[in-house]
Amino acid sequence: MKRNWWKESIVYQIYPRSFKDSNGDGIGDIKGIIEKLDYLKELGVNVLWLSPVFESPLDDNGYDISDYRKILGDYGTMADFNELIEKAHEKGLKILMDLVVNHTSDEHSWFVESKKSKENPYRDYYIWRYPKAGKEPNNWGATFGGSAWEYDNRTGMYYLHCFSKKQPDLNWENEAVRNDIYEMMNWWCEKGIDGFRMDVISMISKDQSFPEGKEYGGLYGDGSPYYMNGPRIHEYLQEMNREVLARHDIMTVGETAGVTIEEAKKYAGEDANELNMVFQFEHVSIGDGPYGKWTTNRYDFREYKKIMIKWQEELQGKAWNSLYLGNHDQPRSVSRFGDDSEEYREISAKMLATCIHMMQGTPYIYQGEEIGMTNAYFEDLTMYRDIESLQYYEELTGAKRMEPEEMMECLKLRSRDNARTPMQWNNKKNGGFTEGTPWINLNSNYSRINVERQMKERDSVFQYYKKLIRLRKENEVIVYGHFTAISRADEKIFAFKRELDEKRILVLCNYSKEATAFTIPEEFAIESGKIMISNYLAEECKKEMTLRPYEAVVFAFGS
Ligand code: NOJ
């Protein structure tokens, strides 16, 4: 397998709005990030992915960009950004930008022009269609609720928006659009950034016949088969690779909703000349119902384990995995996949981290995950800020598909705002996030769960992450070792081994709160097993183990 710096990296995702406010306006900013670079260095990560910091009217918190070459005033200036790159680089930290090019904001000058007339040179920068039988061109629903088409009076046509109506989709069929985007990407690379996380990149190529979507019990049809992994997607990414990516030593990760293993090998294949790796969505979609993620179903461990094993085994040697449990669109990982009760929060957060960080792929830590931050569980609708949560609340309760109480329960478990509450730095006012009024409430548990406390405590989740990261840097087997699942049928324990030359490690993770017996297979020379890391005071390696609630232990064998 080829060695690459991005395979050996650990990425930390910053959601700038909620990371650190330096000027008291209640909104995180770039100077705030600069203040915390030493903290990130201490944690040990080496790549920082910034959720969008570009100019934006903030309909979707920055995933609606109105100028790709300007920094949003709330976050600071281009001079601040330049300082961030410089200081980060001085400390050996790389910066990934969030590239949102499936759509722009409707306030981007391209769209402002495009709307003016059918003849405008920018008309074809977006996807315009005539009404069909007096209605939308097809039945596709938008990801944030409602139709994916918005009618525009001026020219009597609809434009496509797979997300909110303030996020019109770009027309990638148009070569001028592609060239403008490549030019903008090269401009950022020349500025010194180190790569891109590519927002919904699997959606940029649409089936140009725009067929009706399948009815699935929701209010609109599902158009995703016609816009996810669309007909020209690989052609576009290969072109992007030639025009931009191959010209710089950068890292790329595609956010690829709807990606299958076969598709992932094309996007991120070792010699595919597209991207370095992709985010798959199968494990974070377990239990989704007729209204997608709006359900109170808990994930099923057996299904989760099957999915994780499948991605490990099938990409190995062919493409590279991104390893994640949380991000700004997902609930907090410990609340979703672990147990955020007082009793098990720390132990289960450490167990989840062990499992993810010991797999093959590049691990991603979402801000706050390294201290075991939990869902916010907001009780009142007025506490939510996220467009997706608010639009779906309206839509599903309005259409009487869900009772308000039921939808509130879904929000508590699945709203994106669970991950977007401010970072909990200390137990002082607003958790040390801001001197002002935070743009979104803090999680009320910040006096108990915060960075300052965990940096002092020897056994904290933070210290555990530090150790996991260090181990990865010191042991090639964790990065490049061959993955093999063990005891696939076990319904509580996720066990696997990694092997590289003479080195072998065995990873055992109990995903349940019951003490569970596990027999270490014959193939391991048990007496030589040394504990690499464990979230309990570990017992020595022996044939018959009993893993305590949410216990994780990694044994190393060989020289
Ligand atoms: C995926 C991003 O992660 C999410 O936050 C955003 O709302 C959509 N793409 C639209 O850009």
Side-chain angles (χ1 to χ4, degrees):
M1 193 184 303
K2 277 189 218 147
R3 302 306 203 233
N4 300 92
W5 64 263
W6 42 266
K7 289 182 179 162
E8 292 160 21
S9 292
I10 297 109
V11 183
Y12 185 93
Q13 182 190 353
I14 293 181
Y15 196 67
R17 217 165 179 73
S18 301
F19 192 61
K20 177 73 177 87
D21 174 21
S22 72
N23 62 359
D25 65 359
I27 297 170
D29 46 44
I30 293 174
K31 283 203 153 61
I33 300 176
I34 296 174
E35 266 178 46
K36 295 296 179 187
L37 289 177
D38 284 334
Y39 165 73
L40 297 165
K41 185 79 193 148
E42 162 93 21
L43 177 60
V45 297
N46 65 312
V47 178
L48 308 179
W49 148 26
L50 307 186
S51 275
V53 290
F54 313 92
E55 181 130 297
S56 162
L58 300 175
D59 188 53
D60 184 19
N61 271 0
Y63 283 91
D64 48 321
I65 297 171
S66 52
D67 190 333
Y68 288 107
R69 297 178 201 224
K70 260 203 184 137
I71 298 293
L72 177 71
D74 285 352
Y75 296 156
T77 61
M78 193 55 92
D80 296 336
F81 185 82
N82 293 339
E83 185 184 335
L84 171 65
I85 303 192
E86 203 184 305
K87 298 233 160 98
H89 285 174
E90 267 166 35
K91 294 181 197 297
L93 298 165
K94 294 178 185 283
I95 303 279
L96 290 194
M97 298 300 272
D98 214 316
L99 182 80
V100 189
V101 289
N102 172 67
H103 46 267
T104 66
S105 160
D106 64 340
E107 296 181 31
H108 192 290
S109 61
W110 295 341
F111 192 72
V112 172
E113 287 300 314
S114 185
K115 252 181 114 167
K116 284 186 178 160
S117 73
K118 291 183 195 163
E119 293 72 40
N120 190 286
Y122 287 93
R123 184 66 171 181
D124 283 343
Y125 268 52
Y126 296 86
I127 301 168
W128 293 96
R129 288 291 180 277
Y130 284 107
K132 208 162 122 193
K135 291 205 327 213
E136 287 87 358
N138 67 25
N139 66 352
W140 295 2
T143 308
F144 294 156
S147 164
W149 297 95
E150 182 71 11
Y151 187 67
D152 178 51
N153 268 326
R154 199 162 351 169
T155 52
M157 291 178 83
Y158 284 91
Y159 65 86
L160 180 73
H161 60 89
C162 287
F163 293 89
S164 93
K165 61 179 183 217
K166 283 185 67 61
Q167 292 167 297
D169 281 51
L170 282 163
N171 177 19
W172 275 71
E173 298 285 317
N174 182 348
E175 203 184 335
V177 168
R178 305 203 299 275
N179 288 340
D180 276 352
I181 289 172
Y182 302 151
E183 197 188 316
M184 173 272 287
M185 291 173 75
N186 276 319
W187 183 82
W188 277 102
C189 290
E190 275 144 31
K191 223 172 183 347
I193 63 145
D194 304 288
F196 298 103
R197 173 267 186 188
M198 300 185 181
D199 192 66
V200 288
I201 201 71
S202 55
M203 287 171 53
I204 58 178
S205 163
K206 276 96 181 168
D207 181 330
Q208 293 299 297
S209 60
F210 292 92
E212 291 293 305
K214 247 195 250 123
E215 304 283 347
Y216 64 101
L219 295 175
Y220 293 88
D222 174 15
S224 63
Y226 310 110
Y227 60 71
M228 281 178 182
N229 312 307
R232 297 182 66 188
I233 180 71
H234 298 291
E235 175 194 331
Y236 294 156
L237 289 178
Q238 283 162 25
E239 180 181 76
M240 180 191 285
N241 189 290
R242 280 194 305 277
E243 298 299 322
V244 185
L245 313 179
R247 301 183 180 183
H248 313 273
D249 179 22
I250 56 171
M251 161 178 170
T252 53
V253 50
E255 192 209 20
T256 47
V259 72
T260 58
I261 295 270
E262 282 322 304
E263 283 295 328
K265 287 185 203 158
K266 296 187 200 155
Y267 285 116
E270 285 268 338
D271 299 306
N273 295 325
E274 293 190 17
L275 307 176
N276 295 148
M277 60 188 108
V278 292
F279 290 122
Q280 58 88 11
F281 277 71
E282 286 188 59
H283 65 305
V284 291
S285 309
I286 298 172
D288 284 6
Y291 308 123
K293 68 193 240 182
W294 305 112
T295 160
T296 51
N297 286 347
R298 189 164 158 88
Y299 85 107
D300 179 88
F301 170 66
R302 286 160 306 182
E303 215 181 313
Y304 164 86
K305 181 169 150 180
K306 226 160 96 195
I307 292 170
M308 299 308 255
I309 292 177
K310 177 180 81 178
W311 281 89
Q312 286 291 297
E313 290 185 340
E314 301 206 18
L315 291 200
Q316 152 152 278
K318 304 194 177 92
W320 193 247
N321 267 298
S322 309
L323 307 168
Y324 79 102
L325 291 178
N327 60 39
H328 65 295
D329 293 331
Q330 300 296 333
R332 287 284 173 185
S333 60
V334 67
S335 301
R336 182 152 188 209
F337 295 103
D339 182 334
D340 64 9
S341 65
E342 185 117 21
E343 193 175 359
Y344 293 123
R345 182 187 62 84
E346 292 194 35
I347 210 83
S348 68
K350 292 174 186 172
M351 181 278 289
L352 293 172
T354 314
C355 195
I356 285 291
H357 284 244
M358 288 294 156
M359 286 185 188
Q360 191 188 78
T362 299
Y364 288 71
I365 300 170
Y366 177 67
Q367 67 180 43
E369 197 170 15
E370 78 280 19
I371 55 166
M373 275 177 65
T374 67
N375 273 5
Y377 300 117
F378 287 149
E379 290 290 346
D380 196 298
L381 193 62
T382 59
M383 296 165 97
Y384 286 94
R385 298 284 173 271
D386 171 32
I387 180 169
E388 182 192 51
S389 306
L390 297 171
Q391 279 198 197
Y392 269 107
Y393 182 91
E394 278 300 307
E395 184 166 313
L396 294 175
T397 59
K400 301 266 179 281
R401 299 285 171 119
M402 265 198 216
E403 291 303 318
E405 301 71 40
E406 199 184 345
M407 188 61 194
M408 282 306 291
E409 284 313 299
C410 294
L411 290 180
K412 281 187 195 166
L413 296 176
R414 300 296 289 273
S415 167
R416 307 194 295 183
D417 281 339
N418 283 305
R420 297 178 180 186
T421 60
M423 187 66 188
Q424 298 169 193
W425 295 106
N426 57 40
N427 64 4
K428 310 210 176 69
K429 184 181 165 195
N430 298 322
F433 164 68
T434 180
E435 285 300 317
T437 309
W439 71 277
I440 186 171
N441 280 15
L442 271 99
N443 189 319
S444 51
N445 61 19
Y446 71 82
S447 48
R448 198 164 40 88
I449 304 172
N450 60 62
V451 168
E452 191 176 287
R453 177 165 170 182
Q454 296 204 17
M455 285 181 84
K456 285 189 207 133
E457 281 175 5
R458 242 194 43 214
D459 290 331
S460 64
V461 181
F462 173 81
Q463 302 295 353
Y464 194 86
Y465 264 89
K466 247 179 94 166
K467 180 157 184 203
L468 275 175
I469 293 168
R470 201 182 67 231
L471 285 173
R472 190 178 189 86
K473 289 184 187 154
E474 290 167 354
N475 296 274
E476 275 212 312
V477 61
I478 302 177
V479 179
Y480 293 109
H482 187 88
F483 172 98
T484 312
I486 292 174
S487 302
R488 286 165 196 269
D490 197 306
E491 297 190 355
K492 293 184 180 140
I493 291 178
F494 197 153
F496 56 90
K497 63 177 175 180
R498 305 285 310 280
E499 293 167 294
L500 187 73
D501 307 324
E502 302 302 296
K503 259 279 195 232
R504 309 171 89 191
I505 61 173
L506 172 65
V507 182
L508 304 177
C509 295
N510 182 2
Y511 271 73
S512 82
K513 58 165 167 254
E514 282 98 52
T516 306
F518 186 85
T519 307
I520 296 193
E522 292 293 333
E523 60 171 296
F524 293 95
I526 291 171
E527 42 320 319
S528 74
K530 289 197 188 60
I531 297 163
M532 251 182 153
I533 188 165
S534 170
N535 60 351
Y536 277 83
L537 263 181
E539 287 182 41
E540 61 182 21
C541 186
K542 53 183 192 232
K543 190 167 171 40
E544 301 300 337
M545 303 282 303
T546 300
L547 295 186
R548 289 156 282 188
Y550 300 110
E551 180 163 358
V553 57
V554 183
F555 294 115
F557 303 86
S559 47

